[in-house]
């Protein structure tokens, strides 16, 4: 089973991260991506031994997506699938601390994207300019828009895939369990890094919501159709 699983994993991973041609009517890459997710869900106990290698390759590809010296460009769904697969495999880690460290590293590229947004956007008008909601958006603002909303999508996917152990022994010995006033709580290893992003996420939501207000610069312009991008 191990040899069989390894061959399938290698094939799917290689195909998803290197193949670039799309078929108009059916997308075989999307099907293979779904197979990779299913493989991690159903055979994660076998695949987890390859986690470090998969993590290293995936993080390298992810960092390239925001680099000016980009060698391999991933489509949004490819990026998302790779991160979600790693999140699924992380559920086989029994140590809270180890799991939290890996989640933190997975989130860092997206945290940097959101931190950059937080640094450059201070009002609604600067938000509109930052994500290119204008007649002729430039390459930078177009990239900002893609990376911001893709980051939110991937972070939601990652958070959705992280599960907490149900075995009381793992919860106790693995560091998941905390007791306050006699009440036992199970900690989520994703919480520390996601809590740090709360400010950026609320700021983004606030400006997206403001775009739909009657006073929004877009609501009375010919670009009002762009509001659907932030629904």
């Amino acid at each position: 089973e191990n040899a069989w699983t390894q061959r399938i994993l290698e094939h799917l991973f290689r195909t998803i991260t290197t193949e670039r041609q799309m078929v108009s009517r059916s997308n075989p890459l999307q099907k293979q991506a779904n197979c990779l997710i299913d493989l991690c869900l159903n055979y994660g106990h076998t695949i987890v031994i390859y986690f470090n290698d998969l993590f290293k390759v995936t993080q390298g590809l992810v960092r390239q997506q925001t680099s000016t010296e980009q060698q391999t460009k991933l489509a949004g769904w490819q990026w998302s699938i790779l991160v979600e697969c790693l999140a699924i495999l992380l559920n086989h880690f029994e140590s809270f601390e180890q799991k939290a460290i890996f989640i933190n590293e997975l989130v860092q590229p997206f945290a940097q994207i959101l931190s950059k947004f937080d640094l450059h956007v201070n009002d609604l008008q600067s938000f509109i300019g930052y994500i290119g909601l204008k007649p002729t958006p430039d390459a930078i603002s177009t990239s900002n828009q893609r990376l911001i909303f893709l980051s939110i999508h991937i972070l939601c996917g990652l958070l959705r895939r992280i599960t907490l152990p149900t075995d009381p022994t793992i919860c106790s010995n693995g560091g998941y369990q905390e007791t306050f006033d006699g009440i036992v709580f199970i900690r989520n290893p994703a919480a520390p890094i996601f809590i740090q992003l709360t400010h950026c996420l609320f700021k983004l939501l606030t400006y997206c919501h403001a775009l739909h207000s009657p006073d929004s610069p877009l609501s009375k312009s010919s670009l009002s159709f762009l509001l659907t991008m932030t629904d």
Side-chain angles (χ1 to χ4, degrees):
E1 180 181 292
N2 287 354
W4 173 81
T5 304
Q6 181 181 0
R7 287 198 298 271
I8 293 180
L9 175 65
E10 289 175 349
H11 169 72
L12 291 173
F13 193 84
R14 187 186 310 111
T15 303
I16 290 171
T17 56
T18 59
E19 180 64 47
R20 293 293 170 268
Q21 293 184 352
M22 301 293 180
V23 179
S24 57
R25 293 189 177 180
S26 63
N27 187 347
L29 288 183
Q30 192 69 59
K31 293 180 180 179
Q32 289 172 329
N34 292 334
C35 288
L36 185 58
I37 288 286
D38 290 340
L39 195 67
C40 290
L41 286 171
N42 297 318
Y43 297 93
H45 59 284
T46 301
I47 299 173
V48 72
I49 61 175
Y50 308 112
F51 178 86
N52 288 336
D53 292 332
L54 294 173
F55 182 85
K56 182 178 179 180
V57 173
T58 298
Q59 285 298 84
L61 288 170
V62 167
R63 289 191 182 94
Q64 284 187 35
Q65 305 313 299
T66 56
S67 171
T68 55
E69 299 178 356
Q70 188 181 86
Q71 297 175 344
T72 303
K73 181 176 176 60
L74 296 179
W77 65 267
Q78 290 171 303
W79 195 349
S80 179
I81 287 293
L82 294 175
V83 173
E84 286 192 41
C85 284
L86 290 175
I88 293 170
L89 295 179
L90 275 173
N91 293 325
H92 294 274
F93 284 60
E94 295 186 359
S95 167
F96 174 92
E97 183 177 356
Q98 188 180 26
K99 193 171 180 178
I101 289 173
F102 277 117
I103 292 174
N104 182 73
E105 291 190 37
L106 276 177
V107 169
Q108 278 309 309
F110 312 108
Q112 291 171 8
I113 291 170
L114 292 174
S115 296
K116 182 181 176 183
F117 151 78
D118 185 41
L119 179 65
H120 289 86
V121 174
N122 297 303
D123 53 41
L124 184 58
Q125 194 61 53
S126 61
F127 176 59
I128 291 173
Y130 189 76
I131 63 173
L133 295 183
K134 47 191 176 183
T136 54
D138 54 59
I140 294 178
S141 58
T142 300
S143 176
N144 289 339
Q145 181 187 123
R146 174 180 180 269
L147 291 175
I148 286 176
F149 291 112
L150 184 58
S151 294
I152 299 300
H153 171 74
I154 294 177
L155 288 173
C156 288
L158 190 153
L159 196 58
R160 183 178 67 252
R161 295 294 184 179
I162 295 294
T163 60
L164 302 181
T166 56
D167 187 329
T169 302
I170 294 178
C171 290
S172 178
N173 297 337
Y176 292 87
Q177 186 172 300
E178 290 284 356
T179 303
F180 296 98
D181 294 331
I183 302 176
V184 176
F185 294 89
I186 305 301
R187 298 189 297 162
N188 189 329
I193 182 61
F194 273 83
I195 288 175
Q196 294 178 32
L197 296 176
T198 302
H199 169 73
C200 294
L201 294 173
F202 272 103
K203 185 175 183 178
L204 177 61
L205 288 173
T206 298
Y207 285 130
C208 286
H209 178 73
L211 286 175
H212 296 264
S213 70
D215 299 328
S216 168
L218 293 185
S219 62
K220 300 177 182 179
S221 74
S222 59
L223 298 177
S224 58
F225 69 93
L226 293 174
L227 293 175
T228 57
M229 297 172 61
T230 57
D231 283 345

